[in-house]
Amino acid sequence: MERAKTPRLVQAAAGLGLVTVLGGAKAGPDPFDAAHWRQVFARPDHAPMPDGNPTTPDKVALGAKLFDDPRLSGDGTVACSTCHQAELSFTDGVPRHGGLDGQPLDRRTPPLWNMAWGLSWFWDGRAASLEDQAAGPIENKREMAGDLAGAVRTLAADTETVRSFARAFPEDPAVTRSNLLKALAAFERTLVSPETRFDRWVKGDDEAIDSDEKAGLRLFVGKAGCVSCHTGWRFTDEAFHDVGLPGQDQGRGVVLGLKAADNAFKTPSLRERVWTAPYMHDGSLATFEDVVDHYAERVVERPTLSADLPRRIALSPKERAQLVAFLNTLSSEDPPRPASLPARTMVLGADVPAIAATTVGQKDRRFTPGAILLKVGQALKIVNDDTRTHNVRIDGPGLSVSSDAQNPGDAITIGFDQPGQFQAICGIHPDMRLAVTVEPMTKAAAQP
Amino acid sequence: MKRRKIWANLGTAVLMTTPAATQAGMLPAQPAGIEAPAGQGTIHLAQHQGHGKAVKAAPDGEGGEGGGEGGGGAQLPAGLHLARGIEMIRGHLIVGGELVEAGRWADALPHFLHPEEEIYGSLRDDLKAFGIGPFQTALKSLSQTVKAKNKEAYARARATVEERLAAAESAVLAKEENKSYFVLEAALETLQQAADEYEEAVEKGRIANVVEYQDARGFVFEIDRLVGTVADALAAKNADAAKAIRAGLDDLKATFPAVTPPQKPAKDASQFLASVAKFELQVGNFR
C-alpha cells in the first residue's frame, strides 16, 4: 500500500479532558447475562458476497479446482492447497511453511474458515479483498513463484479449463486474470465453519456445554477480557492488536506506515482452532494452554500493546483449564467440513442514514454518526473520544488522508473541496466505517 | 469370541502347571508348550479372571477390532486399564510411524485411526478418574495429518500426542507404589492384546491379516521399549528374572522381522501365546 499523504489534515489535541479507562478494567464483578451473549455470538444465516462477484455453483466448482491446481505456480508443483490443506482445516499444521528458498516463510499459514466475512486479508490486512488476496501467493517468489499472466496462458491452452471458465462466467466467458481470482475467491467464500456445541448453547440449549466450559465462557467474556477482541460469531473484531508476543515482525505498522500499529496483527477467528495448531502469526504457541498462559503471564510490555489487552489477568490453573475447555467448544468434535450457507450480497454500512454533521466521534470503536452529509468547503472534525488509538484514512476518490496515530483525546480536521462519496475507515479497526457525502455548494452558498 | 476364549484357556493352562491349581475340571484343550519353572508357585494373576469374564461382557462388533482392543479388560483396575490403553495407543503409533517413514501413508492410516476409534472411548472414564485432560482431538488431528500425507504436520501432531500420553502415564504412575511391577503388569496386559491380534493375523500357516500383524508388532515393540525404562530397577530386584524378561521380549520381537509380514510366519499363534506366558511367569518375581 502506498504511504498516504496528509495535506489537508490538521491534527490537534482536542482537550476534552478524557478520563482514559484502560484495558477494560471495569469496576465490580460482571454479572453474566446469557441472553446478551447469545445475541453477540449468534451465527448468521447467510454468507456475504460482494456485488461484483456473486457466488454461483459453477464458479465455486471452478474455484475449487483452481485451488488444487499446481499450474498456478511457477514450477508447476505448488497449489494453494499445498499450504491450505482441506484435511487440516485449510492450513498446514506447522509454525511456518518452508518457502521455495528453503527458509520458513515469515508467517504461519492461516486457516481459511469464514473468509467471506473478512474485512481485510493476511495477518497484517494488506489485501483489501479476497480477490486481491489470491494474487498474492501466486506471485510471491517464496510461495508459488508464479506469474498470473503465465498461468492464464497455460490455463487458456487447456480446453477443459476453458469450458469450466465459460460455465462459471457466462457474461464474460474467458480465461482472464480477473476471472481466475474471482473464482478462487468465490470458492473460499463457501468455506463456512459448521455449527459446534457452542452454537447449540447459543440457540438456547443450556446443556450443550458443561459446567467447566460455561465457567470458561464467563471468564472469556468477563475477567479474562478476551471478548474485547474475540467477539461476534467468528470471535474476531477484524481489528489489529499488539498482544505482546516477542518477535521482530512489525505487522500492521508496516502496512499503514504507522509506528503505533507496530507489532499488531489481525485478530484471528477462534472457530475450528482445535484443528489448526500451532497458533499466532508466527506459529510460536503450540497449544491453547500455551496461548492462555501467554495472555496470563507472558505478555511483552511495550508501548504498542493494544489498549484492549487486559494487563495482568490473574488466572488460576483451574481457570486456565476452563478457558481452554471453552475454546474447545468453538470447534467441531470431528475434523470439520464446510457448512452450506446461502449467499447474499452485502454492503457494509449501507443501512446507516446520513445526517448533516461536521463533527464525528469515535467512542467504542464506532464513528458516530456513521454517515454524514457535508457541503463542499466544509471541514469535518473527527474527535477521538475513545480509549484506543485510531488511524483515520480516506483513500480516494481524489483524496488521500491518513491521520497518523490519533491518540485518545486527539481530534483531526479534514477539508473537502470537491463533491463526492468518500469512505473513512480506521486502519487499525477496519470495522469502523464512516460514509461521507460531500454535496456541491448551492448557488446561494457559493456567492455569499 | 475366540480371542477371549483363548485367554481363558491360557490363564487356566498356566494355573494348571502350578501346584496350587486344582481346577482340572475347567480344563480346555491346552495350548502346547507352556511350562511353569519350578518354584513359580502362585501365578494367579487377578486379571486373568477378567479375561474370562470379558467373554460375556464383550460388546458388539467383536468381529472387527471393535470390541477387541478397547473392550477387553473392563474388569482391570482403572490404573492398569488406562496404562494398557496408553501402551496400545503407543504401539499403534510405533508401527504407524514406521509405515509413514516408509512413505506408506495409506497403510499407516488404520494405525492412526484405531487409537481414537477403538481405544480412546474406553479410556474416557479412567482419564476423568485420574484428572487427565482429554486428548481425543489430538489423536484425530494426528490422523488428519496422515490423511493429508503431510510429514511436517505429522511430526508435530505426533509430538503433541506423545506429550499427552506421557502426561497421562505419569499421572497413572504417580499413584503406584511398586512402579516397576506395575509397568510389568501393564506390559503383560498389552502383550496379551498383542497375542489376540497375532492370533487374528495368522491363518493356515500364513499372515492373512497384515494390519493385525502390524498391531501385534507395534504392541510388542512398544512393550520392549517400556520395559527398557525400568530395566535397572528390575535387575536390581532380581537379576535372573530380569534377564529372563529381556530374553522373553527378544523372543517375542523375533516374531516380527519387519513391518511387512514374512512369507512364512516366525511363530504360529500358540507359540506366540507360549512366549507371552513365559513372560508372564517372570512377572510374579517382581511383585
Side-chain angles (χ1 to χ4, degrees), chain A residues 334-348:
Chain A
D334 282 304
R337 295 165 171 277
S340 75
L341 206 59
R344 186 159 68 193
T345 310
M346 280 188 196
V347 187
L348 266 160

Side-chain angles (χ1 to χ4, degrees), chain A residues 1-54:
Chain A
M1 187 184 280
E2 93 215 43
R3 179 81 171 82
K5 297 208 175 66
T6 58
R8 295 156 221 244
L9 189 72
V10 187
Q11 185 162 337
L16 295 180
L18 281 179
V19 182
T20 315
V21 184
L22 269 180
K26 289 186 211 85
D30 31 29
F32 181 72
D33 180 352
H36 168 72
W37 295 115
R38 283 184 154 121
Q39 222 160 22
V40 167
F41 297 126
R43 290 176 69 99
D45 57 4
H46 285 81
M49 59 183 184
D51 230 356
N53 188 16

Side-chain angles (χ1 to χ4, degrees), chain B residues 113-155:
Chain B
L113 293 174
H114 284 183
E116 193 275 312
E117 292 174 353
E118 306 190 350
I119 301 173
Y120 187 87
S122 79
L123 305 182
R124 215 181 294 265
D125 291 345
D126 302 338
L127 292 170
K128 263 217 182 94
F130 280 87
I132 301 164
F135 56 87
Q136 190 169 21
T137 45
L139 291 172
K140 289 182 188 176
S141 295
L142 176 58
S143 33
Q144 288 303 108
T145 65
V146 176
K147 282 185 200 162
K149 302 184 171 63
N150 180 331
K151 190 90 176 266
E152 275 184 277
Y154 159 79

Side-chain angles (χ1 to χ4, degrees), chain A residues 82 85-88 91-98 274-275 277-278 283 285-287 289 328 332-335, chain B residues 116 128 134 136-154 156-157 160 163-164:
Chain A
T82 303
Q85 289 192 277
E87 296 89 345
L88 304 180
T91 175
D92 50 15
V94 291
R96 289 178 294 144
H97 196 92
V274 158
W275 306 106
L285 301 181
T287 62
E289 284 83 355
N328 285 332
S332 302
E333 318 272 297
D334 282 304
Chain B
E116 193 275 312
K128 263 217 182 94
Q136 190 169 21
T137 45
L139 291 172
K140 289 182 188 176
S141 295
L142 176 58
S143 33
Q144 288 303 108
T145 65
V146 176
K147 282 185 200 162
K149 302 184 171 63
N150 180 331
K151 190 90 176 266
E152 275 184 277
Y154 159 79
R156 274 192 54 87
T160 303
E163 267 171 43
R164 300 282 170 156

